Amino acid sequence: MEAADFVKVPFLSLTPQAWQQMVSAWGWPAYRGKQVLKWVYDRAIVDPEKMSDLSKIDRAKLAEMIDFAPATVVSRQISEDGTMKLLMEWPAVDGSGGSAAQAETVMIPDGDRRTACVSSQVGCPVGCKFCASGVGGVKGNLTAAQIIEQVLQLNLMLAAKNEHIDHIVFMGMGEPLANYVAVMDAIARLHEPQCFNISCRKITISTVGVPPKMRELAAEEMPINLAISLHAPTEALRRTLIPWAEHFALQDILSAAREYFDRTGREITLEYILLSGVNDQPQHARELSKLCKTLRANVNLIRYNEVEGLGFKRPLSQDVVQFQEVLRANGVNAHTRKSRGRDIDAACGQLRKRQAEAGGGLVNLTANKREL
Ligand code: SF4
């Protein structure tokens, strides 16, 4: 093989078992393979030169053979509240015909908790009318390695503060259940004690509602949290907001959600983005309450973050309070999510959209942003 054809092995594409097989073929003892796993996953060190308990020869071997973190962080925004948003780029993505892929990932700090909101696809096939990720449709699926690299890249940045990601939500770009195999592969690695070692109870999949895949997920009998992006209490209103909704009846989604609860014991979360004058009025809350009575669910209300050009408005504070009160008065466990990162491009897909509008060049994101 010509030197120019040589491609380094992406470390994150290997399970710990596959990694051990590879290093065993190099003639390494198993403990040395474990040392590398610890450097990457426990200490967020991806530069072989810094793996100080390896010999010079072993470090050179790693540098020659392995690509620990292939993504380029194209841009980074840090909010006043500590929320950090990355736009990452990989040379190619599955099904993209070989073109570069970009995806956003967000770190949300809350007390001691560090949550990664990860993307599962490039763009999104669901096309919600109020979302920047849906603009332009889906460009391809992310691989399991690209999904977990989002967590690794956040850990690389958090390491300076001796922090790491301990919760995961699949709420970034894409419909995770439309990329089921890669998402489940990524979850296996996030959960694996030799890798990120994150409990399934701290992992949430957020779906627009794909009943056959929700049932498949239920059959895995893993205690993963399931959130359904409802955003409207009736089929008719939902279809105006979520084009994909026409593929799956709301009643079937709710029935699959009930099955999920029965198999896993995990309460369902209904995500509801409040859009001013569209779905945030008391009658909507009353309709939503009726629907909630049909399953064990809690409701997460989210104030919309406006996206330029999409025409939807952030709800008025009094409407949000009233909406939540109506739900609670009807016995629904409802919370309003804190708005995070409003001084950066908080809405999903906004950073990628802005970068594309800038002609693909680097966007200047440092103005008014606090450095980590
Ligand atoms: Fe896709 Fe979620 Fe955006 Fe809807 S809100 S288009 S499901 S990323």
Side-chain angles (χ1 to χ4, degrees):
M1 191 194 297
E2 296 287 325
D5 295 336
F6 180 76
V7 178
K8 291 184 184 182
V9 177
F11 180 79
L12 298 177
S13 69
L14 302 171
T15 61
Q17 295 71 26
W19 167 247
Q20 289 294 12
Q21 277 170 11
M22 175 180 275
V23 299
S24 160
W26 295 349
W28 282 20
Y31 76 84
R32 207 172 301 158
K34 278 191 187 157
Q35 284 172 298
V36 177
L37 290 169
K38 277 184 178 301
W39 278 113
V40 176
Y41 291 114
D42 291 0
R43 300 176 198 162
I45 296 288
V46 294
D47 177 358
E49 269 313 300
K50 293 185 178 158
M51 298 180 184
S52 54
D53 55 3
L54 300 183
S55 70
K56 202 172 170 192
I57 293 173
D58 292 341
R59 295 199 302 261
K61 178 84 176 172
L62 289 177
E64 180 197 349
M65 302 296 292
I66 303 297
D67 196 345
F68 285 97
T72 304
V73 176
V74 180
S75 59
R76 181 176 74 156
Q77 292 181 325
I78 300 169
S79 162
E80 288 297 327
D81 65 21
T83 300
M84 175 167 63
K85 190 165 196 172
L86 306 181
L87 181 63
M88 297 168 56
E89 184 171 291
W90 293 271
V93 65
D94 260 11
S96 69
S99 56
Q102 290 186 336
E104 293 180 0
T105 188
V106 183
M107 187 282 296
I108 305 148
D110 188 8
D112 290 343
R113 182 185 288 202
R114 298 289 174 270
T115 300
C117 175
V118 296
S119 295
S120 54
Q121 296 184 296
V122 180
C124 184
V126 179
C128 298
K129 299 282 189 201
F130 48 82
C131 173
S133 288
V135 175
V138 66
K139 301 277 185 262
N141 286 329
L142 293 174
T143 63
Q146 289 166 334
I147 294 169
I148 61 176
E149 188 174 352
Q150 297 170 55
V151 181
L152 179 64
Q153 291 284 356
L154 291 174
N155 277 346
L156 297 184
M157 294 182 187
L158 289 171
K161 293 164 76 180
N162 213 14
E163 295 174 353
H164 64 274
I165 294 296
D166 49 22
H167 285 71
I168 307 286
V169 292
F170 282 83
M171 284 185 193
M173 290 163 51
E175 164 52 58
L177 295 186
N179 186 16
Y180 189 85
V181 173
V183 166
M184 293 312 291
D185 215 4
I187 287 176
R189 218 81 62 73
L190 292 166
H191 180 52
E192 158 69 47
Q194 293 188 77
C195 299
F196 292 95
N197 196 21
I198 297 174
S199 158
C200 285
R201 291 171 189 277
K202 296 180 176 176
I203 298 175
T204 300
I205 289 183
S206 175
T207 176
V208 74
V210 185
K213 290 294 173 191
M214 290 164 67
R215 293 188 170 103
E216 201 173 329
L217 186 64
E220 312 264 4
E221 297 197 355
M222 294 162 82
I224 298 167
N225 303 304
L226 186 65
I228 299 171
S229 301
L230 200 66
H231 308 327
T234 63
E235 188 89 83
L237 180 57
R238 198 164 188 262
R239 286 186 182 195
T240 66
L241 298 173
I242 309 174
W244 238 40
E246 68 178 38
H247 298 301
F248 304 107
L250 187 51
Q251 284 311 322
D252 195 21
I253 295 170
L254 297 177
S255 151
R258 278 190 289 275
E259 284 175 47
Y260 191 84
F261 173 74
D262 291 344
R263 294 286 292 261
T264 65
R266 305 301 286 164
E267 254 186 30
I268 305 296
T269 298
L270 299 177
E271 304 277 351
Y272 194 101
I273 291 185
L274 292 161
L275 305 158
S276 183
V278 175
N279 64 354
D280 66 342
Q281 296 303 300
Q283 78 267 18
H284 299 120
R286 283 191 288 274
E287 284 166 329
L288 180 58
S289 306
K290 278 188 219 151
L291 194 148
C292 289
K293 292 212 161 70
T294 68
L295 76 164
R296 286 282 292 272
N298 53 69
V299 174
N300 204 356
L301 299 173
I302 304 153
R303 279 168 285 207
Y304 180 59
N305 284 318
E306 290 174 17
V307 178
E308 217 177 291
L310 297 190
F312 290 92
K313 293 266 168 272
R314 190 169 170 84
L316 301 172
S317 292
Q318 67 257 33
D319 286 341
V320 176
V321 170
Q322 191 177 28
F323 198 96
Q324 180 172 301
E325 278 173 2
V326 172
L327 289 176
R328 288 188 171 171
N330 283 286
V332 177
N333 185 16
H335 298 277
T336 302
R337 193 192 290 170
K338 266 191 262 175
S339 286
R340 306 301 303 260
R342 287 210 71 212
D343 54 327
I344 59 177
D345 291 313
C348 166
Q350 241 179 339
L351 185 52
R352 176 170 157 265
K353 180 170 174 276
R354 187 190 292 266
Q355 216 255 353
E357 285 164 0
L362 245 175
V363 183
N364 180 359
L365 299 163
T366 50
N368 305 321
K369 308 296 181 290
R370 180 169 65 79
E371 283 302 307
L372 195 68

